[in-house]
Amino acid sequence: METPAQPTASEPMSGLAPGLQWGFILLLSAVLAGALELANLPAALLIGPMIAAIVAGINGATVRLPRPIFFSAQAVIGCLVASSIEFEIFVSFAHDWPLFVGAVLATLLASSFLGWLISRWKILPGTTAVWGTAPGASTAMVLMAGAFGADARLVAFMQYLRVIFVSVTAAVIARLWVDTSGVELPHVPWFPAIQWVPFLSTIGVAVVGGLAGRLLRLPSPFFLGSMILGVALHLGGLVTFQLPQWLLAISYALIGWTIGLNFTRSILIHATRALPQIIMSILSLMIFCGGLAWVLSHYLGVDPLTAYLATSPGGMDSVAIIAAASSNVNLSFIMALQTARFLFVLIFGPSVARLVARLVKE
């Protein structure tokens, strides 16, 4: 009979019972997410649990979430993305499509070039660098990256670090540009009254879309399957979604824990060694997008704050909140450009990642 492995000084959690490990992760997740929420930092409900799981993972935690639970969280996030896509976005896109396509392609080329440089200099592997620099909705990029062979842990590290940089900068610029001190963000209730038809429709789309994505062998099937089905039904007026905050919080936490628990001490050391280059790539992309905003404002007459928020590389949710708090910006223009870029990355991201990986090997 084999003796159970004893915990080491470098991995003190490896000898703890699973219940104690989860208790530590839950407590630390609540503390970190609460602190990030109080600081008004974006994606607090995902980043807090992810950091807590990283701490546990590098200290030898052995617990893991069952895959079906992780897949369920992906499907809920797919419904969240589907619920945010409205006809007004397509109307705005149709009105200024050359401008949108040009801005999106320029940003995609710039981020791909940065990913190529990071790969070429052997800082991170090819596809990981490309997905990490991709200017899209961060959670979606992390889910997609894992499905295409990239290291989801390092992609998450890069994406969420950029979300913080971009969102804080956008908030500061908006505050300097427009006085938002008297604007109160709408209160989002954690436990709203359940509207059973929309709520059950949401669950139905998540289940059916996820299973359909699996049958069709889509990449990241539960996320993409529920998103595609949700968009089709939502735009067709057949489904209204209800995604209460508690359901989103659980889904964010499940995704954060799954990513974080796969971190090891060596992965974290590798990520921190690459930190200066990652920060430089983030700042370079932000400067490039700032220059793009200047071009839109100077040559095409777009309001400067609208142009800046529309071209901000990532943090779509937090950009929407900042834009909503500013009374003199074109919200539909901002969300149309952000959504168009997200969809472009979603559709062409895998091909770009493969191309960059091939170029690096040559």
Side-chain angles (χ1 to χ4, degrees):
M1 185 175 179
E2 294 183 4
T3 350
Q6 296 299 314
T8 64
S10 61
E11 296 187 335
M13 290 188 68
S14 59
L16 293 179
L20 290 176
Q21 292 185 33
W22 277 120
F24 170 81
I25 293 168
L26 284 167
L27 179 61
L28 186 57
S29 297
V31 170
L32 292 174
L36 293 172
E37 280 280 302
L38 287 174
N40 291 320
L41 285 178
L45 298 175
L46 188 147
I47 295 174
M50 187 175 73
I51 294 173
I54 290 172
V55 171
I58 64 175
N59 282 287
T62 55
V63 292
R64 295 293 184 272
L65 283 169
R67 300 298 288 174
I69 293 180
F70 177 54
F71 294 151
S72 300
Q74 288 187 341
V76 170
I77 300 303
C79 291
L80 175 65
V81 173
S83 69
S84 68
I85 296 177
E86 303 287 351
F87 268 120
E88 289 76 8
I89 289 172
F90 294 98
V91 171
S92 185
F93 182 85
H95 187 261
D96 291 307
W97 70 266
L99 183 155
F100 286 141
V101 171
V104 167
L105 288 178
T107 308
L108 189 56
L109 286 172
S111 66
S112 300
F113 177 69
L114 289 169
W116 178 81
L117 282 180
I118 292 172
S119 306
R120 193 75 176 175
W121 294 337
K122 309 295 184 187
I123 298 165
L124 293 173
T127 54
T128 298
V130 175
W131 284 106
T133 55
S138 302
T139 306
M141 294 304 101
V142 173
L143 297 178
M144 290 285 290
F148 283 95
D151 190 326
R153 299 163 296 187
L154 293 174
V155 172
F157 182 82
M158 295 177 71
Q159 284 283 346
Y160 295 123
L161 187 62
R162 191 182 71 226
V163 165
I164 293 171
F165 269 71
V166 170
S167 301
V168 170
T169 304
V172 169
I173 288 176
R175 186 170 290 270
L176 292 174
W177 216 298
V178 181
D179 181 17
T180 58
S181 56
V183 177
E184 290 187 10
L185 296 179
H187 172 67
V188 179
W190 275 80
F191 299 99
I194 296 297
Q195 300 169 358
W196 288 108
V197 172
F199 182 73
L200 292 176
S201 298
T202 303
I203 301 301
V205 168
V207 173
V208 174
L211 293 176
R214 187 69 178 267
L215 287 173
L216 294 170
R217 298 186 177 182
L218 294 176
S220 192
F222 295 91
F223 166 70
L224 277 183
S226 61
M227 189 195 81
I228 292 169
L229 178 62
V231 168
L233 295 176
H234 180 52
L235 293 181
L238 300 174
V239 163
T240 302
F241 291 100
Q242 185 185 25
L243 289 153
Q245 192 70 6
W246 58 264
L247 180 61
L248 292 176
I250 291 170
S251 301
Y252 286 143
L254 293 173
I255 290 170
W257 290 335
T258 302
I259 295 167
L261 284 170
N262 285 318
F263 266 83
T264 61
R265 200 172 290 270
S266 60
I267 284 286
L268 189 65
I269 289 170
H270 183 53
T272 50
R273 280 178 183 162
L275 187 60
Q277 293 91 336
I278 290 172
I279 290 176
M280 283 303 298
S281 73
I282 291 170
L283 294 177
S284 298
L285 189 58
M286 289 173 64
I287 291 168
F288 177 84
C289 290
L292 195 58
W294 180 85
V295 170
L296 292 180
S297 174
H298 188 75
Y299 290 104
L300 300 174
V302 179
D303 154 51
L305 184 56
T306 294
Y308 181 80
L309 293 175
T311 56
S312 288
M316 188 161 63
D317 294 345
S318 50
V319 165
I321 292 170
I322 294 164
S326 307
S327 57
N328 61 339
V329 297
N330 187 337
L331 184 58
S332 63
F333 181 92
I334 292 168
M335 295 315 298
L337 185 48
Q338 289 277 343
T339 305
R341 189 178 61 206
F342 164 65
L343 293 175
F344 265 70
V345 173
L346 203 63
I347 295 166
F348 299 110
S351 301
V352 172
R354 284 192 288 265
L355 174 62
V356 172
R358 199 180 304 122
L359 289 172
V360 169
K361 288 178 183 176
E362 291 177 357

